[in-house]
Amino acid sequence: MGLIMAEQEESLLDAFIDVYMNSIKYLGEFVSEPAKEFHLSFEQYLILRDITQNTNVTLMDIASKRQVTRSAISRQIKVLLKQGYLQQRPDENDRRRLYLLATPAGTRAERVIRQRINSRFQGWIDLYGDDRVHEVLDFIREFSQVTRMKK
């Protein structure tokens, strides 16, 4: 009985690896495609989105929200600054604090990318239906929570 169970688990693992290699990995590419024209990664787009949707955003605000290091966000911000999508403005009361602001080019890029992402996502909803999309989201959330608790 133990050998049959081990073979079933191995077969399940093989199926999971196959799904990852042929589907889940593609999901990242699917999501990041709309930002490529603007030479942005999906993560950089998300940072740009946060900045366009909020006021007085600092590098530390973004790092805290994403639960990553300041240096990880700093690298992404440098790209956005270099490409002219962001600018920095010192706080009038504390010149050491720098606020991040979207430039007109950054605002336009965020809007176009958001529209493309929304269109792609709507295509998923049209194809699979609202209920199925919610089921998948609920499963991914549950999977993520359980996986994090077991670390």
Side-chain angles (χ1 to χ4, degrees), residues 25-42:
K25 193 168 70 168
Y26 167 73
L27 185 61
E29 295 169 13
F30 181 85
V31 169
S32 65
E33 181 66 32
K36 282 186 179 175
E37 174 189 331
F38 295 92
H39 308 289
L40 295 176
S41 68
F42 188 65

Side-chain angles (χ1 to χ4, degrees), residues 58-116:
T58 65
L59 188 149
M60 284 307 296
D61 294 334
I62 295 168
S64 176
K65 179 180 179 181
R66 300 217 180 289
Q67 299 179 355
V68 298
T69 64
R70 177 184 160 94
S71 62
I73 294 300
S74 181
R75 286 188 297 272
Q76 304 293 344
I77 298 285
K78 283 180 185 175
V79 171
L80 291 163
L81 288 166
K82 184 178 178 182
Q83 292 183 336
Y85 295 134
L86 292 183
Q87 59 189 15
Q88 294 178 316
R89 186 192 80 222
D91 183 329
E92 293 175 9
N93 300 318
D94 182 356
R95 307 287 293 168
R96 296 170 297 174
R97 170 178 269 161
L98 296 173
Y99 293 119
L100 299 164
L101 303 153
T103 64
T107 300
R108 179 185 170 279
E110 190 282 328
R111 185 182 67 249
V112 170
I113 295 167
R114 179 173 22 94
Q115 289 168 345
R116 289 176 182 173

